[in-house]
Amino acid sequence: MKTWTGILLMIVLAVVTISTTSAARTSNEPKQLNIDDPSSQTDGVVASNIETNETSFASIERTPVKKENVSVAPENEKVKLYPMQVEGSGYIYNGMILEVNGQTREFSKWQGEGGSYKPEVHELDLNGDGKKEIIVLFTAGHGTGIYLGQAHIIDPDTLEEMNMQPLDEVVKQHMQSKVNVKPGKVTIDVALDGVKLAPSEIEEETDGITYHDELQFGDVVYYSVENGKLEVTASGAYGPAGYDGDLTFAYVYQDGEWKAENVEYHTEAYEDEYYESFD
């Protein structure tokens, strides 16, 4: 009898041990979320939020961009430009986002106009090296006698801005000018790369008007893509809203920087209506 009692006791202990081990293993297994269970869905969101950087998570919640505010490169529909924020009844872009083949980068300092002055974006091989660059053009502001165009050249692989020779450096390097004022007459002498050009003689009322000592560039600047090149037209002002001619050039890549080439200066008679159209 003692022998059977001992055997029976050993069987009971074995069953208890197996049940305890099974329960312990079950408690250590990862919890499986049931997507049909609302409480499980909540757990999933919390878990995702823990592993997601708050900045990138916030960018996912960005307000959708209106179609009319998206600029698409005519050369590649996967190259796009759109505003970070739209202000002033949809006419001011406060910061812009460049998207190239699914990769995006924010340029918070880019501020331009929308509407009829909607920015442009292009994908072109500007220097013929077989690699295409991204060109962004937009209007920073305009008014009577003023048009402030801006241009940026972007490396398509890194989305970094490439160095561009500023307009004031181009003027300083290539052009010399002198504004001479006499009663009822303004004479402008210009030399381009050391070569003197025919002087301009403008007859107008000069009393009470302050003139520049030399031509000033920067109040009227146009950038455009023409024949596969980024071209610039900047008007030279001799006084308040008085313009003598246009400095034109194209950008070429030299020594790690985009520099001006084919620099020319053209004079012509400007009409008041031309500048009034900037309003």
Side-chain angles (χ1 to χ4, degrees):
M1 294 295 294
K2 289 182 180 181
T3 299
W4 286 105
T5 301
I7 292 173
L8 181 59
L9 181 60
M10 291 177 63
I11 292 174
V12 172
L13 290 174
V15 171
V16 172
T17 300
I18 293 173
S19 300
T20 303
T21 302
S22 177
R25 288 179 179 174
T26 301
S27 64
N28 290 332
E29 291 178 356
K31 180 180 179 181
Q32 301 296 320
L33 298 179
N34 181 1
I35 60 175
D36 294 328
D37 183 357
S39 62
S40 297
Q41 291 177 3
T42 302
D43 291 341
V45 171
V46 173
S48 176
N49 197 23
I50 292 174
E51 298 174 359
T52 303
N53 180 279
E54 290 184 0
T55 302
S56 61
F57 185 79
S59 65
I60 295 175
E61 301 297 327
R62 184 183 299 278
T63 303
V65 181
K66 294 182 179 180
K67 184 177 180 180
E68 59 266 27
N69 292 333
V70 178
S71 300
V72 181
E75 304 84 6
N76 183 357
E77 63 180 9
K78 293 184 179 180
V79 176
K80 303 176 183 178
L81 182 73
Y82 42 91
M84 294 175 61
Q85 292 181 331
V86 178
E87 301 174 354
S89 300
Y91 292 102
I92 302 299
Y93 291 4
N94 189 6
M96 301 183 199
I97 300 174
L98 178 63
E99 180 178 330
V100 180
N101 299 322
Q103 183 181 2
T104 62
R105 179 161 186 168
E106 296 181 351
F107 295 88
S108 59
K109 294 183 179 180
W110 290 1
Q111 294 186 339
E113 299 185 20
S116 58
Y117 293 88
K118 184 177 178 179
E120 296 180 28
V121 60
H122 295 270
E123 183 187 52
L124 296 170
D125 182 2
L126 290 178
N127 55 5
D129 65 352
K131 179 182 177 181
K132 295 182 178 180
E133 290 78 33
I134 307 300
I135 304 97
V136 174
L137 311 176
F138 60 87
T139 303
H142 77 280
T144 302
I146 295 176
Y147 185 89
L148 305 178
Q150 284 201 17
H152 300 271
I153 302 176
I154 310 296
D155 186 300
D157 296 327
T158 63
L159 298 190
E160 294 280 351
E161 285 196 61
M162 305 180 75
N163 292 329
M164 297 174 62
Q165 185 178 19
L167 175 61
D168 58 349
E169 289 188 10
V170 176
V171 173
K172 183 178 180 179
Q173 179 181 347
H174 295 276
M175 192 169 188
Q176 302 79 40
S177 62
K178 179 66 177 177
V179 178
N180 302 291
V181 182
K182 294 182 178 180
K185 187 176 182 179
V186 179
T187 302
I188 304 169
D189 296 311
V190 174
L192 188 66
D193 291 326
V195 178
K196 290 185 178 180
L197 305 180
S200 298
E201 295 183 352
I202 304 169
E203 295 183 359
E204 63 181 35
E205 180 59 51
T206 58
D207 290 342
I209 300 177
T210 302
Y211 292 89
H212 305 307
D213 293 331
E214 58 184 12
L215 293 176
Q216 301 293 311
F217 294 85
D219 287 343
V220 177
V221 184
Y222 287 95
Y223 293 88
S224 62
V225 172
E226 304 289 344
N227 301 318
K229 291 186 177 182
L230 175 58
E231 298 187 351
V232 186
T233 299
S235 298
Y238 60 87
Y243 293 87
D244 174 59
D246 290 333
L247 183 71
T248 63
F249 60 91
Y251 275 105
V252 62
Y253 195 66
Q254 295 178 348
D255 304 323
E257 182 183 27
W258 292 94
K259 298 182 179 180
E261 71 165 0
N262 298 329
V263 181
E264 299 179 355
Y265 185 72
H266 309 274
T267 58
E268 60 183 32
Y270 287 97
E271 298 180 359
D272 292 339
E273 291 81 1
Y274 175 75
Y275 292 104
E276 289 175 357
S277 66
F278 296 155
D279 288 339

